[in-house]
């Protein structure tokens, strides 16, 4: 009986062992052997492109205007595989990129990404600046004709001109503008694009030698100019105290180097409250602004009293100012400390239509210390329907 039980036990243990061996074979894990890049997408700014994959190579091109050193890659790979380096760390494809994709079972596959930016065809001069010790001029570049024609100030030494040029990205220019000093005669430059296309430019500088003068003196109106000391309670409280200035838009048909600007005041300055004429010295200020209202130059004119009215002139020759043709400039002028002095006169003008340089827009400005405003601020100025009288001299 005992021997029979032992035999049955051995048979039972053998059965369990066979079952375990059978279960282990069924549970054996087969690791994934897929190690492919299944897609690759490149992004640069608003640009996105998917690239084809062929024989472990990813070739392609990008538009020339993209920055190949500022890109992002989005890469998908086989399930359970890994890729090195991490595509998220790649920001430049200036040089080929080598990826290694490792399957779950350890098998590796190499991919070479060779995406190149197309060579740029652009070959233009985008800006050309002329510099001397006295001035700097940004010229007008005609890229259609390949010409840069600029008139410079009368006393300019054309054998000692400094130049800086900005050209298309990845292009080259010959000769180097920084090495060319003599512009007595026209100078030729060649701008070569990255793809080899070349464009020639001719730079011609001439001194301004033509006298220009304008006198706009039709006087049929007078605008309050200066301070206001009236204390009459029946008056509009907006009148006093304040400081009032006027101005005129200057628009020229040729580039101009201005040497003098003047405006006309009708009478001596006086107190409007007491009618007493002011006999002391005066300081008047001229602001010159560009078409955006940004201040370019400021200059003062000092008058030794008594002042009986008439033209007030500003010497502009030391400003080395270039007024570009076809662009409006705003000349505004006022009495310095006019509100504190409380004295006034009239700024004369023409209330009728006019033509040419005299027919441009007038300006008027009012400031008040109680409002924390100043005639230095462009936002207190506005257009005025009159053409204020002025005289102007310069070289073209």
């Amino acid at each position: 009986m005992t021997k029979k039980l032992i035999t049955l036990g051995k048979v039972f243990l053998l059965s369990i062992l066979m079952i375990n061996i059978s279960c282990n074979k069924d549970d054996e894990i087969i690791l994934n052997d897929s190690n492919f890049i299944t897609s690759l997408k490149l992004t640069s700014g608003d640009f996105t492109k998917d690239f084809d994959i062929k024989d472990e190579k990813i070739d392609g091109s990008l538009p020339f205007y993209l920055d190949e050193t500022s890109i992002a890659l989005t890469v998908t790979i086989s399930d359970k595989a890994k890729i090195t380096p991490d595509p998220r760390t790649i920001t430049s494809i200036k040089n080929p990129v080598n990826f290694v994709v490792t399957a779950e079972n350890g098998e590796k596959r190499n991919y070479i990404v060779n995406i190149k930016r197309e060579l740029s065809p652009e070959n233009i001069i985008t800006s050309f600046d002329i510099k001397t010790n006295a001035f700097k001029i940004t010229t007008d570049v005609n890229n259609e004709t390949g010409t840069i024609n600029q008139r410079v100030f009368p006393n300019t030494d054309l054998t000692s001109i400094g130049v800086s040029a900005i050209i298309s990205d990845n292009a080259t220019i010959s000769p180097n503008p920084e090495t060319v000093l003599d512009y007595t005669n026209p100078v030729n430059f060649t701008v070569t694009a990255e793809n080899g296309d070349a464009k020639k430019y001719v730079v011609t500088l001439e001194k301004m030698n033509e006298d220009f003068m304008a006198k706009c003196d039709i006087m049929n109106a007078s605008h309050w100019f200066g301070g206001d000391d009236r204390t009459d309670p029946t008056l509009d409280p907006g009148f006093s105290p304040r400081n009032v200035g006027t101005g005129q838009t200057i628009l020229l048909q040729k580039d101009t180097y201005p040497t003098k600007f003047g405006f006309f005041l009708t009478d001596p300055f006086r107190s409007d409250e007491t009618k007493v004429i002011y006999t002391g010295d005066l300081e008047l200020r001229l602001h010159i602004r560009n078409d955006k209202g940004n201040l370019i130059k400021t200059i003062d004119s000092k008058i030794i009293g008594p002042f009986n009215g008439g033209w007030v002139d500003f010497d502009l020759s030391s400003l080395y100012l270039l007024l570009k043709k076809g662009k409006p400039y705003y000349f505004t002028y006022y009495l310095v400390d006019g509100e504190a002095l409380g004295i006034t006169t009239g700024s004369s003008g023409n209330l009728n239509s006019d033509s040419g340089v005299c027919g441009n827009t007038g300006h008027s400005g009012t400031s008040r210390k109680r409002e924390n405003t100043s005639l230095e601020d462009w936002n207190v100025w506005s257009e005025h329907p009159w053409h204020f009288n002025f005289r102007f001299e310069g070289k073209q």
Side-chain angles (χ1 to χ4, degrees):
M1 183 71 174
T2 302
K3 186 177 181 179
K4 186 177 181 180
L5 289 173
I6 291 172
T7 301
L8 290 173
K10 287 180 179 180
V11 172
F12 178 73
L13 290 174
L14 183 59
S15 298
I16 294 175
L17 182 59
M18 293 300 293
I19 291 172
N20 286 337
I21 292 173
S22 177
C23 289
N24 287 338
K25 287 183 178 180
D26 292 340
D27 293 343
E28 183 179 351
I29 298 175
I30 300 175
L31 300 178
N32 195 325
D33 62 357
S34 294
N35 52 7
F36 299 102
I37 291 179
T38 57
S39 71
L40 184 143
K41 180 170 67 177
L42 183 147
T43 301
S44 178
D46 295 331
F47 175 85
T48 297
K49 183 177 180 179
D50 292 297
F51 289 86
D52 294 332
I53 305 162
K54 184 178 181 181
D55 298 331
E56 289 79 45
K57 291 183 179 180
I58 303 173
D59 298 326
S61 62
L62 297 176
F64 71 87
Y65 54 82
L66 293 181
D67 182 358
E68 60 195 335
T69 63
S70 180
I71 59 94
L73 295 178
T74 303
V75 178
T76 58
I77 59 176
S78 301
D79 187 34
K80 298 183 180 180
K82 296 180 180 179
I83 185 171
T84 57
D86 186 340
R88 294 172 296 183
T89 67
I90 304 300
T91 59
S92 172
I93 44 89
K94 191 169 186 178
N95 297 310
V97 179
N98 185 30
F99 286 114
V100 178
V101 181
T102 305
E104 187 183 29
N105 69 355
E107 293 184 12
K108 299 180 183 297
R109 187 184 301 271
N110 292 324
Y111 284 87
I112 296 178
V113 178
N114 191 21
I115 300 171
K116 295 294 185 183
R117 179 181 56 78
E118 296 172 346
L119 297 180
S120 172
E122 295 188 340
N123 55 4
I124 65 171
I125 295 176
T126 57
S127 74
F128 195 88
D129 291 344
I130 300 169
K131 297 177 291 184
T132 70
N133 292 332
F135 65 85
K136 176 181 177 182
I137 298 174
T138 298
T139 68
D140 293 326
V141 182
N142 190 326
N143 284 301
E144 290 186 6
T145 61
T147 55
I148 299 173
N149 299 317
Q150 182 62 56
R151 298 181 70 81
V152 296
F153 299 149
N155 297 322
T156 303
D157 181 2
L158 293 180
T159 66
S160 183
I161 298 291
V163 162
S164 63
I166 298 177
I167 60 177
S168 302
D169 289 343
N170 302 304
T172 58
I173 185 170
S174 179
N176 183 348
E178 295 181 1
T179 66
V180 180
L181 301 177
D182 191 345
Y183 285 82
T184 306
N185 298 307
V187 177
N188 296 314
F189 291 98
T190 300
V191 181
T192 304
E194 190 180 29
N195 70 355
D197 292 345
K199 182 177 180 63
K200 294 186 179 299
Y201 285 84
V202 180
V203 179
T204 304
L205 304 187
E206 294 179 327
K207 295 182 182 181
M208 294 176 171
N209 54 13
E210 301 173 3
D211 291 327
F212 176 79
M213 180 181 295
K215 191 171 184 180
C216 305
D217 56 357
I218 299 176
M219 301 178 185
N220 52 35
S222 178
H223 186 283
W224 189 287
F225 187 92
D228 191 346
D229 67 339
R230 292 176 294 178
T231 57
D232 187 342
T234 63
L235 295 175
D236 185 330
F239 288 154
S240 173
R242 58 178 176 160
N243 193 20
V244 180
T246 55
Q248 187 65 26
T249 300
I250 304 295
L251 181 64
L252 301 160
Q253 299 304 309
K254 292 183 178 180
D255 288 354
T256 304
Y257 163 60
T259 56
K260 185 172 78 172
F261 175 84
F263 65 97
F264 195 86
L265 295 176
T266 58
D267 301 288
F269 282 89
R270 70 182 187 280
S271 162
D272 198 81
E273 180 80 8
T274 66
K275 312 304 179 184
V276 174
I277 292 177
Y278 182 80
T279 59
D281 298 342
L282 296 163
E283 184 175 12
L284 294 114
R285 180 163 297 165
L286 170 68
H287 282 163
I288 303 173
R289 299 177 183 272
N290 64 16
D291 56 349
K292 295 180 174 57
N294 297 325
L295 185 64
I296 301 173
K297 296 289 185 180
T298 297
I299 189 168
D300 292 346
S301 180
K302 294 184 179 180
I303 300 174
I304 305 300
F307 172 71
N308 294 317
W311 290 100
V312 177
D313 290 314
F314 297 85
D315 182 2
L316 307 182
S317 59
S318 63
L319 299 182
Y320 292 101
L321 179 64
L322 178 68
L323 304 183
K324 302 289 286 184
K325 64 180 180 181
K327 293 186 177 181
Y329 294 88
Y330 306 135
F331 282 58
T332 56
Y333 33 89
Y334 63 92
L335 175 64
V336 175
D337 295 327
E339 183 174 335
L341 291 171
I343 54 176
T344 184
T345 183
S347 177
S348 67
N350 178 10
L351 55 79
N352 300 318
S353 61
D354 214 329
S355 60
V357 69
C358 298
N360 297 306
T361 306
H363 296 272
S364 177
T366 301
S367 67
R368 298 179 177 85
K369 288 186 177 180
R370 69 177 182 270
E371 297 174 353
N372 198 31
T373 58
S374 167
L375 290 176
E376 300 277 331
D377 306 328
W378 181 236
N379 59 7
V380 304
W381 294 87
S382 59
E383 294 185 356
H384 195 279
W386 298 354
H387 309 297
F388 289 101
N389 299 135
F390 71 92
R391 61 187 183 186
F392 180 94
E393 295 179 11
K395 292 281 190 178
Q396 294 183 332

